């Protein structure tokens, strides 16, 4: 391809992204959106699609400057997709942990707590800095933080592959796989203000640090205490990851500890092996473990979570098996299935994992032409997957949510290995068909996986999970509800406990903060509500009942009236025990008289 033609295509791609962003910006969300995909104008998606088509082609076919421009185009497009809540002026995104993180950030801004008092203060501190320096709302500062922490993932995945393999095709494929955003599974990792998920996108930075340490062997410009610049980089990036969320620091420690163990075994067994020339990771394992231990054991939240994990391991009704069974039963009642959901949410990850698995097996069998140095680096990462998978099963038995967070961590390593694995696959396929044919097949495969990955970055009805878009009206309604509610009258939701909104609006450090276990908040019993016994639907006492547009979308449209029916809600509107006291386009609150005590 002529350089002028290529430059024209890339310029067209960047123009398409710019037009898509401007169109999305000109169409802000004015009401609750169950899906950011359908809420965003079609012209925006056309622009993004054109840009990604150019980017995928350039990443696969071009090298050097041209490939770098293609990767930059793809990364810009995916960043724009992740930034859609900011671009389209969402007030906030996240109705669970996100609202609690919003509350903690409010506490920091208000001076009610110091950042270091939080177990993972990085996201909140970044948002507070945006608020102080830029004067923007705290909610928007948190959405900016999500984007800032996402970008390193797109940058460092291809850099790691460049450091390990140095092959242009592998770098391009690794970049494309990173655009699929495989660590987000919408089971326990989410694209939004969710510190555990945000931390996943910093893991490649830490991995790059120790790969650079192993490969470059800096022996000059030593720092005090015998540290090399790359050793210091490992500690600093590890500390940064710890401050965003400590769970993935555990994964990094297991990863580096596995590398240290492999190095130890190699030194015991071989007299001549590339691993013997690598600087050891023993000290890094010990130091990072010590940093994590000191930080974690001094925090009550960590101790409670660890105790919950141990209890869950020995409880029969807690764990992944029980939760999957419950989800499968509910899906079947609304015409769905676990198999269908798996295809929608995990097919691209399964394809990538299969490709990586076959490649690693061939490496172990000696059926690849990799140089010994590259093979050593791949063995480090691939062998570490065994203890990391073991950690997943431990979580799965004890705390399913943590298990699927661990899947996100494993997906980061699979993303890195996929670049090298698929590049070797293209080389093998080129021997069967032509090189252009192999590139075309690869482009189609990666393009299909890219579409699947990007269509599930955000929650939406397609995965039976409506988007957690929080509107101005919803915040306004809850603010009024919380102001006018008393401790004697619980605030009750429809399948969604409203206590998180108290966190988001008022912070967590103030007096009288609502919590999940509080008697002043909860959800109505769906069976009693459906039976029309509204006065007994919440413990038979007086309560304030909240209905939002999100609740109605989830229960009536997505769950297809599985728990609550449209008919019962209409009957509730006219029931003598219910009185509407707050109402706007997105929010309604009723006071409900409880059953009279006998």
């Amino acid at each position: 391809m002529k350089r002028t033609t290529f430059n024209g295509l890339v310029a067209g791609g960047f123009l398409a992204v710019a037009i898509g962003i401007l169109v999305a910006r000109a169409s802000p969300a004015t009401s609750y959106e169950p899906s950011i995909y359908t809420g965003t104008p079609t012209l925006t998606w056309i622009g993004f699609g054109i840009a990604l088509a150019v980017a995928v082609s350039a990443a696969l076919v071009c090298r050097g400057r041209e490939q770098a421009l293609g990767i930059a185009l793809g990364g810009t497009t995916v960043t724009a997709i992740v930034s859609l809540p900011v671009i389209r002026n969402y007030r906030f995104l996240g109705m669970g942990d996100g609202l609690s993180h919003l509350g903690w950030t409010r506490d920091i801004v208000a001076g009610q707590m110091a950042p270091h008092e939080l177990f993972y203060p990085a996201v909140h501190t970044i948002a507070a800095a945006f608020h102080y320096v830029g004067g923007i709302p705290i909610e928007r500062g948190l959405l900016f933080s999500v984007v800032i922490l996402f970008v390193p993932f797109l940058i460092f995945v291809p850099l790691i592959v460049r450091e390990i393999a140095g092959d242009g095709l592998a770098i391009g494929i690794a970049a494309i796989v990173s655009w699929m955003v495989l660590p987000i599974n919408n089971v326990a990792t989410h694209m939004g203000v969710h510190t555990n998920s945000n931390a996943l996108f910093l893991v490649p930075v830490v991995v790059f640090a120790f790969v650079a340490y192993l490969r470059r062997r800096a022996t000059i410009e030593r720092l005090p205490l015998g540290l090399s610049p790359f050793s210091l980089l490992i500690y600093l990036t590890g500390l940064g990851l710890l401050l965003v969320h400590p769970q993935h620091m555990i994964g990094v420690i297991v990863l580096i500890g596995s590398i240290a163990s492999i190095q130890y075994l190699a030194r015991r067994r071989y007299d001549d092996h590339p691993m013997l020339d690598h600087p050891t990771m023993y000290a890094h394992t010990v130091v990072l473990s010590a940093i994590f231990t000191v930080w974690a054991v001094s925090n009550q939240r960590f101790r409670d979570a660890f105790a919950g994990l141990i209890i869950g391991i020995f409880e029969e009704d807690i764990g992944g098996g029980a939760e999957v069974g419950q989800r499968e039963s509910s899906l079947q009642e609304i015409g769905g299935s676990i198999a269908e959901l798996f295809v929608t949410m995990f097919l691209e990850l399964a394809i990538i994992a299969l490709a990586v698995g076959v490649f690693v097996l061939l490496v172990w069998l000696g059926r690849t032409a990799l140089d010994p140095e590259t093979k050593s680096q791949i063995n480090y990462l691939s062998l570490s997957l065994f203890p990391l998978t073991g950690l997943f099963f431990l979580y799965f038995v004890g705390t399913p949510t943590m298990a699927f967070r661990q899947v996100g961590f494993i997906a980061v390593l699979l993303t890195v290995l996929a670049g090298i694995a698929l590049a070797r696959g293209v080389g093998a396929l080129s021997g069967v068909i032509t090189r252009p044919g192999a590139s075309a097949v690869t482009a189609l495969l990666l393009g299909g996986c890219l579409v699947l990955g990007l269509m599930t970055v955000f929650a939406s009805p397609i995965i039976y999970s409506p988007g957690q878009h929080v509107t101005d009206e919803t915040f306004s309604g809850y603010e009024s509800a919380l102001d006018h509610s008393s401790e004697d009258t619980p605030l009750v939701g429809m399948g969604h406990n409203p206590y998180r909104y108290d966190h988001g609006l008022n912070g967590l450090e103030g007096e009288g903060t609502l919590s999940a276990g509080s008697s002043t908040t909860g959800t109505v019993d769906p069976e009693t509500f459906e039976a029309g016994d509204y006065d007994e639907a919440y413990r038979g006492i007086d309560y304030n009942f909240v209905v939002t547009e999100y609740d109605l979308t989830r229960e009536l449209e997505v769950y297809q009236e599985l728990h609550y029916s449209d008919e019962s809600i209409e009957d509730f509107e006219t029931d003598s025990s219910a009185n509407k006291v707050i109402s706007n386009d997105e929010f309604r609150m009723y006071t409900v008289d409880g059953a009279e005590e006998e």
Side-chain angles (χ1 to χ4, degrees):
M1 183 185 298
K2 293 182 179 179
R3 185 164 185 170
T4 54
T5 304
F6 173 82
N7 288 342
L9 284 174
V10 172
F14 277 108
L15 179 62
V17 174
I19 292 173
I21 292 173
L22 290 174
V23 170
R25 180 64 180 169
S27 179
T30 56
S31 60
Y32 169 71
E33 292 185 347
S35 171
I36 197 170
Y37 298 102
T38 57
T40 301
T42 302
L43 186 58
T44 293
W45 294 116
I46 292 174
F48 290 168
I50 292 172
L52 285 174
V54 174
V56 169
S57 301
L60 289 176
V61 177
C62 301
R63 298 292 178 268
R65 169 187 172 274
E66 288 80 7
Q67 185 185 54
L69 285 173
I71 292 174
L73 174 60
T76 301
T77 306
V78 175
T79 302
I81 293 173
V82 169
S83 304
L84 280 174
V86 176
I87 294 170
R88 299 197 54 243
N89 203 31
Y90 273 30
R91 172 70 181 272
F92 195 65
L93 184 68
M95 296 183 182
D97 288 352
L99 287 171
S100 294
H101 293 307
L102 174 59
W104 276 315
T105 309
R106 288 196 193 282
D107 291 333
I108 291 173
V109 169
Q112 292 184 310
M113 71 181 304
H116 69 269
E117 294 177 324
L118 266 177
F119 192 27
Y120 30 76
V123 172
H124 317 83
T125 305
I126 294 171
F130 273 116
H131 174 73
Y132 281 125
V133 176
I136 63 175
I138 297 172
E139 297 94 330
R140 196 162 184 81
L142 281 167
L143 295 180
F144 279 142
S145 302
V146 172
V147 178
I148 288 173
L149 292 173
F150 172 74
V151 171
F153 181 75
L154 303 180
I155 296 174
F156 281 90
V157 165
L159 285 179
I160 294 168
V161 173
R162 179 176 179 270
E163 196 72 20
I164 293 175
D167 177 54
L169 180 59
I171 296 169
I173 292 177
I176 296 170
V177 177
S178 73
W179 303 340
M180 300 175 193
V181 200
L182 296 179
I184 297 299
N185 54 48
N186 279 301
V187 177
T189 58
H190 311 275
M191 184 57 71
V193 185
H194 188 249
T195 54
N196 189 285
S197 306
N198 306 141
L200 285 169
F201 301 125
L202 290 184
V203 172
V205 183
V206 187
V207 174
F208 175 81
F210 70 71
V211 169
Y213 171 77
L214 292 170
R215 294 279 292 189
R216 300 188 181 185
R217 305 178 181 86
T219 57
I220 59 174
E221 298 182 6
R222 285 278 176 179
L223 300 173
L225 304 177
L227 287 174
S228 74
F230 299 121
S231 287
L232 184 60
L233 187 62
I234 292 173
Y235 298 139
L236 290 177
T237 56
L239 182 61
L241 181 63
L242 175 69
L243 295 177
V244 177
H245 201 286
Q247 180 179 345
H248 298 307
M249 182 67 163
I250 297 174
V252 165
I253 291 170
V254 171
L255 174 60
I256 295 182
S258 300
I259 294 174
S261 300
I262 294 167
Q263 291 178 324
Y264 175 77
L265 293 175
R267 281 165 168 73
R268 291 289 300 269
R269 179 166 183 176
Y270 300 108
D271 295 324
D272 183 23
H273 194 280
M275 290 183 183
L276 304 185
D277 296 327
H278 294 163
T280 62
M281 303 289 292
Y282 307 149
H284 305 88
T285 304
V286 172
V287 172
L288 291 180
S289 299
I291 292 173
F292 172 80
T293 301
V294 171
W295 182 259
V297 298
S298 61
N299 188 277
Q300 183 63 41
R301 188 179 179 88
F302 170 80
R303 295 196 295 270
D304 292 342
F306 183 75
L309 172 64
I310 299 301
I311 292 172
I313 292 173
F314 296 101
E315 290 283 347
E316 294 183 3
D317 59 343
I318 298 177
E323 184 159 317
V324 169
Q326 294 169 4
R327 296 281 180 93
E328 184 173 20
S329 176
S330 298
L331 281 170
Q332 288 175 347
E333 290 189 50
I334 59 176
S337 68
I338 287 290
E340 171 200 344
L341 201 59
F342 175 84
V343 169
T344 307
M345 297 172 65
F346 293 104
L347 179 60
E348 72 279 9
L349 177 59
I351 292 172
I352 296 300
L354 178 62
V356 170
V358 171
F359 168 70
V360 168
L361 182 60
L362 292 174
V363 170
W364 291 345
L365 294 175
R367 302 295 297 274
T368 63
L370 294 172
D371 62 88
E373 180 67 26
T374 302
K375 188 180 295 185
S376 296
Q377 298 288 340
I378 290 170
N379 282 331
Y380 283 145
L381 296 178
S382 58
L383 289 172
S384 69
L385 289 173
F386 286 99
L388 289 169
T389 304
L391 189 58
F392 159 78
F393 284 113
L394 181 65
Y395 287 147
F396 190 78
V397 173
T399 309
T401 298
M402 294 177 69
F404 281 97
R405 291 175 178 179
Q406 182 68 9
V407 170
F409 186 94
I410 293 172
V412 174
L413 298 186
L414 292 177
T415 300
V416 172
L417 290 170
I420 306 169
L422 292 175
R424 292 291 162 174
V426 172
L429 188 60
S430 299
V432 179
I433 59 177
T434 63
R435 183 61 181 245
S439 296
V441 171
T442 305
L444 289 174
L445 172 65
L446 292 176
C449 290
L450 184 56
V451 170
L452 278 174
L454 290 176
M455 68 187 283
T456 55
V457 165
F458 293 103
S460 70
I462 195 174
I463 57 173
Y464 301 97
S465 178
Q468 296 193 358
H469 172 205
V470 185
T471 62
D472 289 330
E473 289 82 0
T474 303
F475 267 132
S476 175
Y478 270 110
E479 189 170 21
S480 298
L482 290 166
D483 286 344
H484 292 89
S485 295
S486 65
E487 295 183 3
D488 297 330
T489 308
L491 189 64
V492 178
M494 186 175 71
H496 186 259
N497 194 320
Y499 76 95
R500 297 276 196 177
Y501 283 92
D502 181 44
H503 295 180
L505 289 164
N506 301 317
L508 284 82
E509 296 302 307
E511 295 182 3
T513 300
L514 301 180
S515 63
S518 171
S519 61
T520 58
T521 184
T523 59
V524 296
D525 180 70
E527 294 183 3
T528 307
F529 191 89
E530 280 296 295
D533 299 326
Y534 309 117
D535 55 352
E536 297 181 354
Y538 189 74
R539 304 178 183 176
I541 61 175
D542 295 349
Y543 62 96
N544 292 327
F545 182 54
V546 169
V547 180
T548 67
E549 192 64 27
Y550 167 79
D551 297 327
L552 295 175
T553 301
R554 184 190 67 242
E555 298 297 339
L556 303 184
E557 297 178 22
V558 178
Y559 293 170
Q560 301 176 29
E561 304 186 28
L562 175 62
H563 304 297
Y564 303 91
S565 66
D566 192 20
E567 181 182 359
S568 67
I569 295 171
E570 290 180 357
D571 290 343
F572 171 78
E573 290 268 2
T574 59
D575 191 87
S576 60
S577 65
N579 296 287
K580 186 187 295 182
V581 292
I582 299 174
S583 179
N584 62 38
D585 292 339
E586 305 282 338
F587 181 97
R588 301 196 299 272
M589 188 179 86
Y590 307 81
T591 60
V592 184
D593 298 328
E596 293 183 2
E597 295 184 5
E598 297 182 1

